[in-house]
Structures are given as structure tokens and as C-alpha cells.
């Protein structure tokens, strides 16, 4: 009894061990399969059987790829009798249309024929007792050639006695195994069918119905579709499908493609993905282009950028020879990854480190010469912290990086018909220029064309439209096909060989629509294309300053960009001074506003005038000059405590004030408010470089009312600057006596510390402009 139990236990343990080993082996195999499918790549599920169908009439039969869907009486037939099969056994002798593609076939080929009697008499099923008497069988002899390769040479099918009616037609087949042939473009597929019919009843070879699919079956690889993708600098995905088939691109008569993600690699299977993960859905191609070997390539482009992550293109294609009841005959799953944006040479976050550290290092160096009150160092440290705000809005320093907010690159490009087109000529006399950038063969070229035509219809503005083919290696021949569609509706320009113009736009050298105002500044842009309504709204906004108006200053002060103004606005006098004579209410705020407007105008007026006089073509150089002037202003205040040019203008303005105001407020206080207005202008330029050029300059160039409106806008900007400086003063005075003590103790050192910060900020902008758009356009 014990031995039996032990034996049973041993058997169970052995069985469990074997099961564990088998499970481990299966797990290892599955793990290997997962590893093989992980990462970018493509998986195809293609039909393993293809067919050429016998079509047409008895007088004009032909071979065709389209599946027969007719379920009624067969569309074609070839009749034969015992006599005709003896005298003229040939029923079919046809050739296919020339092949559109070369291909190599390896596999089996079957010729399948459906036939029956055209009689209600089943006499053919009687036993053939005497040779030549009634009751004989039927068979077919098949000769099949693929190009110059004969794969079946008068080979006989199965032989059987037939019954009546096409509804129960008999299947006759003959097969060629292990075929290995190469065919070239233009080769023909030839089929010859002879009949041997020894029955007295008439027979019929049928074709053209769902259940009588006479023809040639290829068991093996025949089609070779190609699916590819590309990701542009804006993370827009372009999908390309090359329908490679021996019978041409028409062999693929339908497709549905979806971009699905983000997903994990092991989730990328056909039909997988939640509804919110289906980012794009494509059916009819957005466009076509010509690829290698003069092949037609269907193209699609996503409408919006994808966030970084892993995606799949889930593609479903229908093939003409497959069962139309199936939704997908060929399935392709293309796995790809949208990478994170490339890191710049020096990100702006480093400026947020350099500026405060520069001030702190300067404080440390000054402590070696003489110690200041601890309150002074506290204020300087606070100023260093508030400098983080404007430093956060500095541009990255990167090679070939375009200026995100500024003027459009000045260009003179050849059109497709050889004419030289300049941006300055396009801007002249128009409210705006709308430029459509596209890469060769991109479907967005047609989409932009449709949107531009729509904008021409609905917009009341005078818009100059252009399209620019960008990307490296652009040639005129690449645009011949699209130029026929465009038909000189607007200029079709070709970017330079290195795509310098495209790279200078904020979008980069890829598909995008750029809206340029009458002063030459980019007011709006979108990757891919832009709808007609959006174009009309962007152009209308451009004539009004593109949203850059005096009220914009008050929206900016809510952020961190102007925090240094509060520290700089701390009072320099320990005790407030009362006026000796009675002045009008708000006299102090009035003087502060006037001085701040003067300081703000020292910067803003020249900038507005240059934009109004059409200096947009040289704006990148003007901005470089502004950055260098900013460095000069900062160093001048750091080293000398003043800026000579500002001091001169302040003196002239101060002497024009009423005697009562000058008796109450000394020149130094007036100059301090003027410097606050100047620092405000520089901080606003760092935050929004196009604020004054578009808010004043573009308005001046818009229409007949532009000049008076721009003058009013400039005055409103000056008033707004005065109000903001007064607000900064009010906030700085909020702590009361504490604010006055701290301000008095740091009165001489605060402007110098801010001068250092200003010089660093200006040097950063100058370096970013020089390394990025300036060197990138050379």
C-alpha cells in the first residue's frame, strides 16, 4: 500500500516537473517573439493566394484581376460538343494585359475551370461501355506561359462525367508546383485551354459568377506594398504608401489608415487602441507623388502635431482580386516613435541661472572692497531672484534656430516659371502676405491650394498669396505636376538648395502656412495648412497690430517678467518730501508718468518708426543692434551709474517742467522714473519682441487710417508705460517705512546691480540671434 502511494506521488511530481518545463519553454518562446516585435518596424499580413479571373464573352474573353461579384447567370461561357472538341478542341487562347511591374514569383500555380452540361439529361454519367459510345468523361488541357516561361504545357486536368446546370458546375484543375520565374514590366501572361469532351450532350465552360471563378490562382507572394512615414520639425507625420503590384497601383482599390497612440510596443496590433488614441483617420489619399521607377506613391499628412511617444500606423488595404466581403485583404502595422524635441546648445533655463549668479558674484566681489548694510544685500538678493522672471523668456541658443517672434526672413526666390519674386514687392500694396511652405510631393500643397482659394473668396482684405517648395535639393522638374494644378493662380517659388529661407521661418523647412503683415512681421503660422476662415481672421488681426495693443502691457504685468520693476521702484528718499506750494492733485504721479513715458519712448519711438518705414527686411539685424544697445545700457549703468544719452534727454525734459514741480521733485528723482520707463521697455521687448513693431509700425502701414491710428497707439503705449511705473511705485511703497529704509540704503547700488543683469540679458539675446537666425541664413 505504501509503495503504491509513493509511486503515485513520484508520478505526480514527474508530471508536474514536465509541465513546468513545457510552460517555461512556451514562456521563453513567447518572450522571444515579443522581443522580435518590440521597437520600430513594420509587420505585413498579406494574402497568400492571388488570382487572374477569366472574364468577358465567348467571343472576347480576357484575364482580369477584379473579383466577380455577380451571383446570377454567368457573364461568360464557351460552349463545346463532342464533335467540336474533336475538330477544334481550343476553347480559350488569350493573353493578359502587359504587366506594369517586374516581379519574381515563387510558389504554386493552379488553373481552375468550372464547367457543366447545358442539358437536363445526365446521360454523361452512364458508364462508357463501348469506346465512342455515349457516357464519356470531360477534361481540359491547359497551356500557361508567364512571359517567356512556359509553366504548363498542354497539361490535362482531372477527367469526370459532368451533370447539368451552372448552378452545380464541376471544378477542373491543373497545378504547376514549385514555379520559380522572373517577369519584367510589359510581359504577358498567356492561357490556352483545349477541351476533350466525349459525351453526346453539349458542355459549357462557365466564368463570371461568385461561384464560378474560372481563372489562374497564384499561391505565393505576388504583391509587395510599401508603407513609410516621416516626421517633420513640427512633429507632423507624413505617411506614404507605394502600391507595388505586377498589375499596377490600381490593384489596390481602397485603403483605411489610422495613426494610433501613444501605445506600448506590445500593444501595436491591427485594430487595437482606444477611441481617444486614434489620432488620425485617412481614407482617400491627400495627394500623390512619383517615386523610384516612376511609381505612384499615395501620401497623407496629419492635421496636428503628435506629442512625443510611440505610435503605430494601422493600415488596411483592399485588393481587387480578393473576396469583397472581407474588409481588409492586406494589413500593415508600422511601428514608429515620435522623439522628444532636440535639445538646444544652450537652453534658456541656463540664463535663469546665469543672471542671478552674476548679480550674486558681483555682490561678493563688492564685499571685498567695503561692507554695506545687511539690508542692502537683502535687497540685491531680492533683485537677483526677481531677475529669474525675464530670464525665463529668453530664447534658446541653438544653431540655425529661427526667431520665433519677429520679422519674416527677407527673400528673393525664383518662381517655377523663372521669375524673381521678392518679399518686399509682395508686401508693397497688400494688407498681408500668406505664404504656404511645403516639401516636394507633400499632400499639403493641394490642401493649402484649396484653403487659399477659399480665403480669396471670403476675405475682404487685399492678400498676396504665394507657395514655396522648400527642403534641400529642390528642382524645377519636381514641381511640374503641381504647377499644372496651380495654373499660375499665385507664384510658386523654389527655396534655395539648402532650404535657407524655409529654415528661417518659425516653422522650419517643412509644411506650414505663414501670415506676414504689411510691416514684414510674422503674425501667425500653423503647421501643415490653415483654413480659409483662420487665414481671414489672421489677416484682419494683422491690420490691427495682431493683438499687440497698449492694453497688452497690463496683461504682461500679471506675470513674472516685470517683477524687477517693483524692486527698482523702491523709493530713494528715506523720508517723503512735501511740496513747498500747493500743487494740483496727483502731481507726483503725473511727474512719474511723464518721466516714465520719456524713458519708454527713448526705446519705443525709434523701433516703431523703423517698422513703420518698412525696415522689416533688415529686422534681424535691427534686433541684433537692439541687443547690443541693451548690453551698452546695462554696462553704462553698472560702471558709471548713468547713460549719457538718457541723462541729456532727461535734463531737457526736466527743465521744461513748471517751477513748482521742479522745486518739489529734484532732477535725480525725475531721472530715476525715466530709467524705470526705459527698463520697462527692455523687459517688454524680452517678453514680446513684436509688441511695438506690430502694435504701432504694422498699423501705420495698414491703410489710409493707419498713420493717425498708429500715432494714437504710440501715445497710448506711452500713457500705459507711465501707469505701469506708477503701479510699480505704489506696490514698492506698500510696506511703508520699511520700504523707504531699504530703498534708501540701496539707492546707489540697486541700479548698478540691475545694469549687470541687463547686460547679461542683452548679451544672451545677441548670442542667440547671432548663432541662430543670422548664421543660419548665411
Amino acid at each position: 500500500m505504501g509503495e503504491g502511494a509513493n509511486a503515485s506521488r513520484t508520478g505526480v511530481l514527474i508530471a508536474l516537473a514536465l509541465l513546468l518545463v513545457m510552460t517555461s519553454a512556451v514562456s521563453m518562446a513567447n518572450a522571444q517573439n515579443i522581443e522580435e516585435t518590440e521597437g520600430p518596424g513594420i509587420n505585413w499580413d498579406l494574402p497568400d493566394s492571388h488570382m487572374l479571373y477569366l472574364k468577358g464573352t465567348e467571343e472576347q474573353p480576357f484575364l482580369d484581376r477584379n473579383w466577380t461579384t455577380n451571383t446570377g447567370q454567368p457573364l461568360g461561357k464557351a460552349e463545346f460538343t463532342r464533335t467540336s472538341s474533336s475538330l477544334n478542341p481550343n476553347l480559350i487562347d488569350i493573353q493578359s494585359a502587359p504587366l506594369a511591374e517586374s516581379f519574381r514569383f515563387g510558389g504554386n500555380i493552379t488553373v481552375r475551370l468550372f464547367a457543366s452540361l447545358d442539358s437536363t439529361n445526365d446521360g454523361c454519367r452512364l458508364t462508357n461501355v463501348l469506346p465512342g459510345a455515349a457516357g464519356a468523361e470531360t477534361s481540359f488541357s491547359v497551356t500557361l506561359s508567364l512571359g517567356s516561361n512556359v509553366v504548363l504545357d498542354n497539361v490535362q486536368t482531372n477527367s469526370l462525367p459532368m451533370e447539368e446546370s451552372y448552378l452545380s458546375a464541376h471544378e477542373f484543375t491543373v497545378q504547376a508546383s514549385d514555379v520559380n520565374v522572373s517577369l519584367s514590366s510589359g510581359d504577358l501572361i498567356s492561357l490556352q485551354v483545349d477541351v476533350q469532351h466525349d459525351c453526346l450532350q453539349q458542355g459549357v465552360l462557365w466564368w463570371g459568377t461568385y461561384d464560378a471563378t474560372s481563372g489562374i490562382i497564384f499561391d505565393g507572394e505576388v504583391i509587395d506594398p510599401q508603407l513609410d512615414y516621416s516626421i517633420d520639425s513640427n512633429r507632423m507625420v507624413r505617411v506614404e504608401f507605394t502600391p507595388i503590384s505586377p498589375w499596377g497601383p490600381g490593384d489596390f482599390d481602397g485603403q483605411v489608415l489610422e495613426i494610433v497612440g501613444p501605445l506600448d510596443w506590445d500593444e501595436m496590433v491591427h485594430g487595437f487602441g482606444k477611441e481617444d488614441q486614434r489620432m488620425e483617420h485617412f481614407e482617400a489619399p491627400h495627394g500623390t507623388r512619383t517615386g523610384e521607377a516612376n511609381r505612384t506613391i499615395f501620401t497623407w499628412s496629419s492635421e496636428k502635431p503628435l506629442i512625443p511617444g510611440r505610435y503605430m500606423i494601422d493600415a488596411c488595404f483592399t485588393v481587387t482580386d480578393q473576396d469583397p466581403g472581407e474588409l481588409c485583404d492586406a494589413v500593415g502595422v508600422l511601428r514608429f516613435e515620435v522623439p522628444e524635441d532636440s535639445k538646444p546648445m544652450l537652453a534658456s533655463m541656463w540664463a535663469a541661472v546665469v543672471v542671478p549668479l552674476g548679480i550674486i558674484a558681483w555682490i561678493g566681489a563688492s564685499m571685498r572692497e567695503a561692507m554695506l548694510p545687511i539690508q542692502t544685500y537683502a535687497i540685491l538678493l531680492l533683485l537677483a531672484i526677481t531677475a529669474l522672471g525675464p530670464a525665463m523668456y529668453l530664447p534658446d541658443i541653438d544653431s540655425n534656430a529661427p526667431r520665433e517672434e519677429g520679422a519674416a526672413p527677407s527673400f528673393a526666390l525664383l518662381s517655377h516659371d523663372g521669375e524673381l519674386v521678392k518679399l518686399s514687392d509682395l508686401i508693397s500694396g497688400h494688407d498681408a502676405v500668406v505664404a504656404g511652405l511645403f516639401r516636394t510631393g507633400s499632400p499639403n500643397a493641394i490642401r493649402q491650394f484649396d484653403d487659399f482659394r477659399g480665403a480669396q473668396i471670403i476675405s475682404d482684405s487685399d492678400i498676396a498669396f504665394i507657395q514655396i517648395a522648400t527642403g534641400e535639393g529642390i528642382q524645377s522638374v519636381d514641381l511640374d505636376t503641381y504647377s499644372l494644378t496651380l495654373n499660375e493662380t499665385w507664384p510658386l517659388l523654389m527655396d534655395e538648395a539648402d532650404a535657407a529661407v524655409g529654415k528661417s521661418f518659425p516653422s522650419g523647412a517643412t509644411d506650414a502656412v505663414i501670415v506676414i503683415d504689411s510691416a514684414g512681421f510674422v503674425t501667425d503660422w500653423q503647421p501643415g495648412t490653415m483654413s480659409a476662415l483662420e487665414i481671414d481672421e489672421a489677416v484682419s488681426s494683422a491690420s490691427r497690430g495682431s493683438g499687440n495693443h497698449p492694453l497688452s502691457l497690463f496683461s504682461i504685468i500679471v506675470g513674472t517678467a516685470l517683477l524687477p520693476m517693483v524692486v527698482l521702484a523702491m523709493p530713494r528718499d528715506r523720508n517723503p518730501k512735501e511740496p513747498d506750494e500747493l500743487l494740483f492733485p496727483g502731481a507726483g504721479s503725473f511727474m512719474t508718468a511723464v518721466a516714465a513715458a520719456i524713458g519708454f519712448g527713448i526705446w519705443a519711438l525709434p523701433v516703431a518708426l523703423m517698422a513703420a518705414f518698412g525696415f522689416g527686411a533688415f529686422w534681424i539685424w535691427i534686433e541684433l543692434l537692439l541687443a547690443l544697445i541693451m548690453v551698452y545700457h546695462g554696462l553704462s549703468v553698472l560702471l558709471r551709474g548713468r547713460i549719457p544719452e538718457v541723462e541729456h534727454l532727461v535734463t531737457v525734459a526736466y527743465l521744461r517742467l513748471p517751477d513748482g514741480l521742479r522745486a518739489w521733485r529734484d532732477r535725480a528723482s525725475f531721472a530715476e522714473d525715466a530709467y524705470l520707463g526705459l527698463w520697462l521697455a527692455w523687459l517688454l521687448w524680452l517678453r514680446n519682441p513684436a509688441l511695438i513693431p506690430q502694435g504701432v509700425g504694422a498699423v501705420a502701414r495698414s491703410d489710409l487710417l493707419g498713420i493717425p491710428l498708429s500715432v494714437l497707439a504710440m501715445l497710448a503705449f506711452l500713457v500705459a508705460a507711465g501707469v505701469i511705473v506708477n503701479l510699480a511705485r505704489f506696490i514698492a511703497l506698500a510696506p511703508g517705512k520699511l520700504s523707504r529704509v531699504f530703498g534708501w540704503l540701496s539707492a546707489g547700488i540697486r541700479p548698478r546691480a540691475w545694469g549687470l543683469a541687463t547686460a547679461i540679458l542683452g548679451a544672451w539675446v545677441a548670442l542667440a540671434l547671432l548663432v541662430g537666425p543670422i548664421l543660419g541664413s548665411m
Side-chain angles (χ1 to χ4, degrees):
M1 192 70 179
E3 293 179 358
N6 290 335
S8 299
R9 293 192 188 97
T10 302
V12 171
L13 292 174
I14 293 174
L16 289 175
L18 290 174
L19 181 61
L20 181 61
V21 171
M22 293 174 62
T23 304
S24 300
V26 172
S27 300
M28 291 176 64
N30 290 337
Q32 291 174 355
N33 290 336
I34 291 175
E35 289 178 0
E36 290 176 358
T37 58
E38 284 187 347
I42 186 169
N43 288 340
W44 280 103
D45 183 9
L46 302 177
D48 54 10
S49 179
H50 293 267
M51 192 161 182
L52 274 176
Y53 297 95
L54 186 57
K55 293 288 191 69
T57 62
E58 182 175 6
E59 293 78 16
Q60 293 182 327
F62 59 90
L63 292 172
D64 184 59
R65 282 281 286 171
N66 292 315
W67 175 284
T68 300
T69 57
N70 177 52
T71 57
Q73 185 173 354
L75 298 176
K77 64 179 181 178
E79 299 174 346
F80 52 85
T81 62
R82 180 177 181 181
T83 302
S84 65
S85 65
S86 299
L87 298 177
N88 184 19
N90 182 253
L91 286 179
I92 301 293
D93 190 0
I94 55 176
Q95 292 178 322
S96 70
L99 296 182
E101 287 273 358
S102 301
F103 84 110
R104 183 179 183 84
F105 178 77
N108 300 330
I109 298 179
T110 302
V111 177
R112 181 174 62 187
L113 305 171
F114 288 90
S116 69
L117 296 178
D118 192 15
S119 169
T120 58
N121 189 326
D122 291 341
C124 290
R125 295 182 59 84
L126 299 176
T127 303
N128 184 12
V129 180
L130 298 175
E137 296 180 340
T138 301
S139 65
F140 298 92
S141 296
V142 176
T143 299
L144 176 65
S145 299
L146 305 182
S148 59
N149 306 283
V150 179
V151 296
L152 291 172
D153 188 7
N154 202 30
V155 180
Q156 187 173 357
T157 66
N158 52 309
S159 179
L160 53 84
M162 297 192 299
E163 298 178 356
E164 60 88 17
S165 176
Y166 63 86
L167 297 176
S168 56
H170 303 278
E171 182 177 349
F172 297 85
T173 61
V174 60
Q175 185 179 80
S177 302
D178 299 326
V179 177
N180 191 351
V181 296
S182 295
L183 292 93
S184 301
S185 174
D187 282 349
L188 306 176
I189 296 177
S190 302
L191 175 66
Q192 180 179 333
V193 178
D194 295 342
V195 62
Q196 182 178 349
H197 181 64
D198 292 333
C199 181
L200 292 178
Q201 280 79 22
Q202 178 173 281
V204 182
L205 173 66
W206 304 103
W207 63 82
T209 63
Y210 186 87
D211 50 0
T213 52
S214 297
I216 306 168
I217 302 172
F218 297 85
D219 293 318
E221 296 182 359
V222 172
I223 60 175
D224 183 27
Q226 303 291 323
L227 191 64
D228 202 359
Y229 77 99
S230 61
I231 305 173
D232 66 16
S233 57
N234 298 311
R235 298 199 303 273
M236 301 277 285
V237 178
R238 174 172 165 179
V239 183
E240 294 189 343
F241 171 59
T242 308
I244 302 178
S245 168
W247 295 279
D251 212 24
F252 298 83
D253 63 347
Q255 61 280 316
V256 176
L257 296 87
E258 291 185 322
I259 299 178
V260 187
L263 298 168
D264 291 331
W265 295 126
D266 56 357
E267 295 177 315
M268 295 185 185
V269 294
H270 172 61
F272 189 82
K274 300 177 182 178
E275 187 63 29
D276 59 350
Q277 291 176 313
R278 301 182 182 276
M279 310 304 295
E280 298 283 354
H281 181 92
F282 304 131
E283 292 189 20
H286 293 161
T288 60
R289 73 175 183 88
T290 302
E292 295 182 2
N294 206 32
R295 292 190 178 108
T296 298
I297 298 177
F298 299 127
T299 58
W300 296 265
S301 181
S302 61
E303 293 186 0
K304 52 184 176 295
L306 298 181
I307 62 173
R310 297 169 178 174
Y311 296 83
M312 72 170 175
I313 299 173
D314 189 2
C316 167
F317 303 97
T318 55
V319 186
T320 57
D321 73 312
Q322 302 298 307
D323 189 342
E326 297 293 333
L327 297 178
C328 291
D329 303 322
V331 174
V333 176
L334 175 60
R335 305 179 302 278
F336 67 97
E337 186 170 5
V338 177
E340 298 281 349
D341 293 338
S342 59
K343 295 182 179 180
M345 296 169 54
L346 203 58
S348 60
M349 61 171 289
W350 288 106
V353 176
V354 172
V355 175
L357 285 182
I359 296 177
I360 294 173
W362 179 73
I363 294 172
S366 64
M367 292 174 66
R368 295 181 179 180
E369 299 178 1
M371 288 296 295
L372 298 173
I374 191 65
Q375 297 91 335
T376 302
Y377 292 115
I379 292 299
L380 294 181
L381 183 60
L382 179 61
L383 183 62
I385 294 173
T386 59
L388 292 172
M392 292 172 58
Y393 294 101
L394 292 176
D396 296 329
I397 297 177
D398 198 9
S399 60
N400 300 326
R403 181 69 161 154
E404 291 294 336
E405 299 180 49
S410 178
F411 60 78
L413 299 175
L414 285 175
S415 65
H416 181 259
D417 57 7
E419 182 182 356
L420 186 66
V421 177
K422 299 180 180 179
L423 177 61
S424 57
D425 295 337
L426 294 169
I427 291 176
S428 178
H430 294 94
D431 296 328
V433 175
V434 177
L437 275 65
F438 66 91
R439 297 181 72 89
T440 306
S442 172
N444 280 316
I446 295 294
R447 298 168 72 179
Q448 291 173 4
F449 175 82
D450 295 335
D451 290 331
F452 288 6
R453 290 294 298 271
Q456 283 182 324
I457 296 172
I458 68 174
S459 181
D460 296 329
S461 303
D462 187 2
I463 308 173
F465 291 95
I466 58 170
Q467 284 188 284
I468 304 175
T470 188
E472 298 185 358
I474 294 294
Q475 297 182 7
S476 179
V477 67
D478 299 329
L479 305 176
D480 288 347
T481 301
Y482 178 65
S483 66
L484 296 176
T485 302
L486 186 60
N487 194 25
E488 299 183 357
T489 308
W490 46 73
L492 175 58
L493 310 183
M494 297 181 294
D495 202 351
E496 299 172 0
D498 57 352
V501 173
K503 292 176 181 177
S504 299
F505 279 107
S507 62
T510 186
D511 301 350
V513 173
I514 315 290
V515 180
I516 305 170
D517 65 19
S518 55
F521 291 85
V522 175
T523 66
D524 196 7
W525 73 275
Q526 285 188 17
T529 186
M530 183 183 291
S531 70
L533 182 59
E534 289 172 325
I535 292 173
D536 181 46
E537 292 176 348
V539 172
S540 299
S541 176
S543 63
R544 301 188 300 270
S546 302
N548 295 299
H549 47 75
L551 294 179
S552 303
L553 273 67
F554 298 98
S555 64
I556 293 175
I557 64 174
V558 179
T560 61
L562 302 183
L563 282 179
M565 292 290 298
V566 177
V567 180
L568 294 172
M570 295 178 71
R572 62 191 300 269
D573 297 323
R574 184 167 185 174
N575 297 309
K577 181 181 178 182
E578 299 295 334
D580 296 331
E581 60 181 82
L582 185 64
L583 300 175
F584 59 87
S589 297
F590 172 76
M591 289 189 69
T592 297
V594 170
I598 292 172
F600 188 86
I602 289 173
W603 182 91
L605 281 173
V607 171
L609 288 173
M610 286 187 289
F613 283 117
F615 285 11
F618 314 101
W619 204 256
I620 195 64
W621 297 102
I622 292 174
E623 286 201 305
L624 179 61
L625 178 61
L626 289 175
L628 295 177
I629 293 174
M630 186 178 184
V631 174
Y632 161 68
H633 281 181
L635 292 178
S636 183
V637 172
L638 171 65
L639 300 176
R640 295 183 291 187
R642 62 190 180 87
I643 304 172
E645 297 80 9
V646 176
E647 294 288 333
H648 174 72
L649 293 175
V650 167
T651 301
V652 172
Y654 181 76
L655 293 176
R656 296 179 182 273
L657 293 175
D659 294 339
L661 294 179
R662 284 190 283 115
W664 174 42
R665 298 277 295 274
D666 60 11
R667 180 193 171 283
S669 297
F670 189 78
E672 189 178 61
D673 290 332
Y675 278 106
L676 287 176
L678 178 63
W679 299 139
L680 174 64
W682 283 122
L683 289 172
L684 289 174
W685 180 62
L686 295 178
R687 180 65 178 85
N688 187 353
L691 182 63
I692 297 299
Q694 290 185 327
V696 180
V699 173
R701 297 176 61 84
S702 58
D703 50 36
L704 294 177
L705 294 176
I707 293 178
L709 289 176
S710 65
V711 172
L712 293 176
M714 189 70 250
L715 292 175
F717 272 112
L718 296 177
V719 171
V723 172
I724 290 176
V725 171
N726 271 297
L727 286 174
R729 287 287 194 192
F730 176 78
I731 296 172
L733 285 169
K737 291 184 178 180
L738 185 64
S739 174
R740 288 191 173 275
V741 170
F742 277 79
W744 172 67
L745 290 173
S746 61
I749 198 72
R750 260 183 300 131
R752 293 179 181 272
W754 180 245
L756 174 62
T758 301
I760 296 174
L761 293 172
W764 184 283
V765 175
L767 188 59
L769 292 172
L770 186 63
V771 174
I774 292 179
L775 293 180
S777 62
M778 292 183 175

